[in-house]
Structures are given as structure tokens and as C-alpha cells.
Amino acid sequence: MSASTSPRGIVLGIETSCDETGVGVVALAADGSTTLLADEIASSVDEHARFGGVVPEVAARAHLQAMVPAVQRALATAGVKASDVDAVAVTAGPGLAGALLVGVAAAKAYATAWGVPLYGVNHLASHVAVDTLQHGPLPPCLALLVSGGHSSLLEVPDLAGPIAPLGATIDDAAGEAFDKVARLLGLPFPGGPHIDRVARDGDPAAVAFPRGLTGPRDARFDFSFSGLKTAVARHVEALEAAGNGVPVADVAASFQEAVADVLTAKTIRAATERGLDTVVLGGGVAANSRLRALAEQRCEASGLRLRVPRPGLCTDNGAMVAALGAHLLAAGTPASPLELSADSGLPVTEVFLTHPH
Ligand code: KG4
Ligand code: ZN
């Protein structure tokens, strides 16, 4: 092992903001580079499927059951002992309060038992940080985060913060729109991957669905998807009332095109206006094949560098929390206070907790 790659720290990351119990282990080298050693996930998504959305109480209970085995599996996969861990990072918010509490309580217990620093970190900042595990250090960038719970455009000068929110959805999150439209089309929950799949056989120009908040007077960096969702519902109802079958592939492709079009157009505009030449995509919807292709095409046309983590790192996971923890450790950031508590509404401007909340 060369001096530059000798270990400087092992960081364990815990994520429980929604329905994924994620535990990641990242090794930080002396030169600041990071290596992902383990990324264990236990999902309660099947338990929510029949409700068509995540049920907070069910998610919290599932985290409680999955937590300790997930930590044990992550340490075993990483080939490290508990005594090798140098820092623990945990998602402190934003997210479901009861779900967050389970992760925060576990992380406090581990950090206290192992006598190592604890970092309570921001879920959105972690979605951006995860890209460093795949593509190396991140220059100042524009991040588009799109998932079941959030749709945000962020200006990220540095991962240690502060991060500036440029815009967000004013109603449904992008993933929520995918899930609701999938339901209208009779596809299972979570709907995003199903829409992505069936849209491959559809015509994206079949229906001209509305592009929310793209008028000249609209907020330039905010998103709205509820009008689009309603337009799809009306379209499906009209077809059914006329006794016609619903061309599911065409409707899915046209809906997906409307979402990808608005997301990429606003992202490119924000990056260009803020003078940022790197764009990062994150969150579950960043796994969408059309969004990825259109982002690639439009970034290239605008001279922007696009970084998209592999799909497994885009959805919620523990590796992203460990990645941000490793960055904070490398930057010599003081630990968060052990009295910290989960904050379901933690603003993205707060990358890590410096006071109890
Ligand atoms: O980041 P994530 O795992 O959890 C949240 O924080 O919400 O994102 C889950 C969301 C769901 O709404 C799901 O339908 C959507 O991401 N999603 C997709 C795709 N894969 C997952 N949406 C569109 N296309 C996909 N391929
Ligand atoms: Zn997320």
C-alpha cells in the first residue's frame, strides 16, 4: 500500500429517512480519496406497496428490525471490525420523523460505544456527495435531486457547505408524480421503474402534456408536477369514457418526456446562469433512462460536464451518508453534538449539524 492510499479513516454511514435502511462503509485514504467497502440495504418497500405510498409508522418499525443486522452485514462485507471504525455519520434530516429517529438513535449508540465522532448530516447533501465514490472529488457544481420525497436544484460550491437552494417543487416531487401516474395506468408501486420500462415501447410525442412552470413569468428554478399528473388523469378518463382502451406505453412515454424535458431545461439554465460547468444528478428518479439520456444530450450541447452515479447509488442508501461523513472527516470538521436530534424539516443549507436541534 502506498503512502497516499494508506487508510486514514473508516466511516460508517446510516440512512433511515424513508423506507430504506441503508448502512455504508467508506474508507478515507491519506490523500483524501475514498473507497466504498460496503453498501447494505434493507427495504420495506414491499410492506408499503398495497397502500400506494410509504406509511411512516410501518417504515419506522421496519428500520428498528433491520438496523442491527444491517450494521453487522456492512461491517462483515467491508471486512472491518467495529474497533476499526473512526467515525459514524447518520442522516439527521430531512425525512420522516419516526424513521429518522431510529437511525439517529442507533448512530448515537454506536458512536458512544465505539468512542468515535458522530456526524448528523443532511440527506440531500448526501445524495450529492455519493457521486464522489464513483467519479472522485467534486468541483463546484449544480445538483438536480429528484426522488419520491424531493425535487431540488442546488448550488454546491463545496460538499462541506453551505449549499444554496435555487429551486424546488411547489407541489408533488418528481418521483411522486411517477408513482401517481403509474397508479393511474394500473402499474405497481413504486411506479418510476415501471413507467421507464413501458415507455420504451411508446411514442413520447403521442400526447402533448403540459410543462409546469415554464411560462415567462413563472419561477425559473421551481418545479410543479401536480398539473401534469391531473392532465394525465383527465386524458385517461376521456379515453375510458369514450370506450377506448388506454395506450399505456404512449401515455407513459409522453408523461416521462414532459418530466425529463422540464427537469433538464431548468437544470441547464441554472448551471449556465450560475457559471457552474459541472452538473450532478441524484435521487431515485435519476435512475430514469430518458432523464439520463436527455441530460447527457443537453449538457453536451451546452458544454457542461454531467456526472450521474450508477442507479444503485442514486436511490437512498448508506454509502451516500458515509461518503459525506468521509468528506467532513477529511476536512477536519468538528463532530456534531451527541445530543443531536432528528430534524424532519432540516434545510439543505445545513449540511451537517453543529448544534443539538
Ligand atoms: O431516492 P429514492 O429511492 O427515495 C426517496 O427519497 O424518495 O427515490 C424513490 C423514487 C420513487 O418515486 C420511484 O418511483 C422513483 O424514485 N424511481 C424512478 C425510477 N427508479 C426509481 N422514477 C423514474 N424512473 C426510474 N427508473
Ligand atoms: Zn433521497
Side-chain angles (χ1 to χ4, degrees):
M1 208 178 257
S2 74
S4 65
T5 55
S6 62
R8 176 169 154 198
I10 300 282
V11 181
L12 182 101
I14 295 177
E15 153 64 35
T16 64
S17 69
C18 191
D19 58 343
E20 249 85 47
T21 312
V23 181
V25 179
V26 164
L28 170 69
D31 65 358
S33 63
T34 50
T35 310
L36 179 59
L37 302 181
D39 186 15
E40 290 297 319
I41 302 215
S43 178
S44 61
V45 68
D46 293 343
E47 295 175 51
H48 309 289
R50 68 193 169 100
F51 301 105
V54 176
V55 183
E57 285 296 324
V58 174
R61 207 171 327 123
H63 286 309
L64 208 49
Q65 285 167 352
M67 180 55 63
V68 173
V71 169
Q72 286 167 345
R73 278 201 310 280
L75 292 175
T77 306
V80 302
K81 299 189 293 292
S83 56
D84 296 332
V85 175
D86 297 288
V88 175
V90 62
T91 303
L96 303 172
L100 288 167
L101 270 177
V102 177
V104 168
K108 284 185 189 179
Y110 285 117
T112 307
W114 299 339
V116 298
L118 172 68
Y119 292 111
V121 304
N122 189 297
H123 180 77
L124 300 186
S126 303
H127 267 304
V128 185
V130 75
D131 187 67
T132 60
L133 296 175
Q134 197 177 338
H135 299 120
L138 201 55
C141 66
L142 188 285
L144 169 70
L145 299 186
V146 272
S147 76
H150 31 81
S151 305
S152 306
L153 274 175
L154 309 174
E155 180 171 356
V156 187
D158 183 279
L159 281 175
I163 288 179
L166 299 180
T169 182
I170 59 164
D171 40 55
D172 294 348
E176 205 177 342
F178 269 94
D179 296 339
K180 288 177 176 171
V181 165
R183 196 173 192 181
L184 287 171
L185 296 175
L187 299 168
F189 173 84
H194 297 282
I195 295 212
D196 199 346
R197 179 175 46 80
V198 303
R200 291 195 180 136
D201 300 320
D203 175 6
V207 193
F209 285 127
R211 270 59 171 163
L213 293 187
T214 50
R217 286 159 195 263
D218 290 332
R220 289 167 325 131
F221 301 141
D222 284 340
F223 303 107
S224 167
F225 297 108
S226 82
L228 171 60
K229 174 196 65 191
T230 306
V232 176
R234 296 285 166 273
H235 184 76
V236 169
E237 279 162 22
L239 287 170
E240 284 170 346
N244 298 325
V246 178
V248 172
D250 282 350
V251 174
S254 302
F255 158 77
Q256 179 174 270
E257 193 64 22
V259 176
D261 181 21
V262 174
L263 290 176
T264 51
K266 295 204 175 206
T267 300
I268 305 278
R269 186 196 279 175
T272 310
E273 281 190 20
R274 304 300 303 161
L276 299 160
D277 57 14
T278 299
V279 169
V280 177
L281 301 192
V285 182
N288 184 264
S289 60
R290 181 58 187 148
L291 176 62
R292 294 169 88 104
L294 196 56
E296 188 70 59
Q297 190 186 318
R298 289 182 170 175
C299 279
E300 200 183 324
S302 301
L304 302 170
R305 176 145 191 265
L306 178 67
R307 296 175 40 145
V308 194
R310 60 178 164 82
L313 293 179
C314 283
T315 47
D316 289 351
N317 61 74
M320 65 194 219
V321 181
L324 182 51
H327 187 82
L328 295 173
L329 190 66
T333 312
S336 299
L338 262 183
E339 316 79 69
L340 75 90
S341 50
D343 181 350
S344 61
L346 186 67
V348 69
T349 45
E350 245 177 284
V351 169
F352 61 96
L353 300 193
T354 52
H355 58 281
H357 275 243

